Amino acid sequence: MDLKSVRCFVEVAENLHFGRAAERLRLAQSVVSRQVAGLEAELGVRLIERHKRAPIRLTPAGALFLDEARAALAQFERAELVVRQAGRGERGRLEIGYVASATWSGLLPSAVFDFRRERPGVTVSLTEMESWRQLEALAEGRIDVGFLRPRPDYPASLAVLPQLREPVLVALRADHPLAVLPGAIPAARLAGEAFAVPQADERGGFVGHTLAIGKAGGFSPRIAHHVRDFISVLNLVGVGLAVAAVPSSLQRLRLPDVVYRPLADCEVFAELAAASRRSGNAAVVRSFVRVLKARGETVLPVSLE
């Protein structure tokens, strides 16, 4: 049983006329007649009663089959539409990995919102994970796109788009002697401080930013605390055990007894990038990458909220 014969039957059954059905289908009447006859032969039952001097009519079996045939055609048309939409990147599933700072910086929410506004039929799944885990997940196909901290190099199989560049600030306990100084803090004044750094196993990242501050101030930073994330960093700062280099967007996390100050004599910037596989991606992934490319890189100014 093929769709062409089913369509021919439905048109004939709805019009009760082979000629009108042929016109609507833009087929020769003889073709429509053969298709319906072939369908009857395949099913082993007559669907339409034909009379030379009387209008055709459906048999009881034909009337029952008409309802099922309509439903089958509607389901096939829906399946065809879904497949075409998937081919255009309008349907499907998108798995995204992200570092937490991609959320509070606003990068991830705004990028996904822009995409879903264009592609509301796509299901988006979000999973927080460290940058190095995202690279593994991309290689294994467990995620499609990763929002991560840049590295010195990437696997050749990945394409990376810069998405955000923001100043690095210093997080201090509110009663720290440097916190009460007016204006920005000279890097040299941080010599001797204990620094807390997130994801210290990452190449580059905030280990590199902390070292850059020390180089500008003429000292070697003492990294006393290696922790998983910035929440842990701010907890250490809040209890007075450390100071920390943090992205400016972290100011949106208001913790008691923690303040943020700019650096006076060095410019250090934190970045976020979006990574995806260069090949083998579904159309929905390619659509999301096009949205990211159109957005370009955002550069945040130095500002204290």
Side-chain angles (χ1 to χ4, degrees), residues 202-248:
E202 288 283 352
R203 290 182 294 159
F206 279 82
V207 171
H209 299 328
T210 302
L211 293 176
I213 293 171
K215 183 178 180 180
F219 67 95
S220 179
R222 180 166 62 93
I223 300 178
H225 306 279
H226 294 182
V227 295
R228 180 183 182 275
D229 52 32
F230 281 109
I231 298 298
S232 300
V233 166
L234 293 183
N235 283 332
L236 290 170
V237 171
V239 298
L241 291 177
V243 301
V246 299
S248 64

Side-chain angles (χ1 to χ4, degrees), residues 129-247:
M129 58 179 70
E130 297 99 322
S131 295
W132 67 272
R133 293 190 186 277
Q134 291 183 48
L135 296 176
E136 289 183 349
L138 284 165
E140 296 169 2
R142 290 185 285 113
I143 62 172
D144 302 305
V145 179
F147 286 85
L148 42 74
R149 291 290 174 188
R151 302 164 67 88
D153 55 74
Y154 298 92
S157 60
L158 297 184
V160 180
L161 295 172
Q163 289 293 292
L164 180 69
R165 191 167 186 260
E166 57 180 324
V168 168
L169 307 177
V170 178
L172 306 158
R173 181 174 164 82
D175 60 1
H176 191 286
L178 296 177
V180 298
L181 294 178
I185 296 175
R189 297 293 298 271
L190 295 167
E193 295 289 344
F195 282 83
V197 176
Q199 300 173 10
D201 55 341
E202 288 283 352
R203 290 182 294 159
F206 279 82
V207 171
H209 299 328
T210 302
L211 293 176
I213 293 171
K215 183 178 180 180
F219 67 95
S220 179
R222 180 166 62 93
I223 300 178
H225 306 279
H226 294 182
V227 295
R228 180 183 182 275
D229 52 32
F230 281 109
I231 298 298
S232 300
V233 166
L234 293 183
N235 283 332
L236 290 170
V237 171
V239 298
L241 291 177
V243 301
V246 299

Side-chain angles (χ1 to χ4, degrees), residues 41-87:
E42 184 177 355
L43 294 173
V45 63
R46 184 167 293 280
L47 302 173
I48 295 174
E49 291 184 358
R50 302 161 177 82
H51 304 280
K52 290 185 177 180
R53 292 188 173 85
I56 65 173
R57 64 181 183 178
L58 295 177
T59 65
L64 291 173
F65 184 67
L66 177 59
D67 290 338
E68 300 300 327
R70 283 170 173 159
L73 288 177
Q75 182 61 39
F76 177 79
E77 289 169 359
R78 174 172 172 76
E80 184 179 33
L81 173 62
V82 168
V83 169
R84 292 184 184 279
Q85 289 176 330

Side-chain angles (χ1 to χ4, degrees), residues 112-129:
V112 173
F113 180 82
D114 288 349
F115 175 71
R116 295 196 70 249
R117 184 166 50 190
E118 294 184 10
R119 300 284 193 270
V122 175
T123 300
V124 178
S125 177
L126 304 173
T127 304
E128 182 185 349
M129 58 179 70

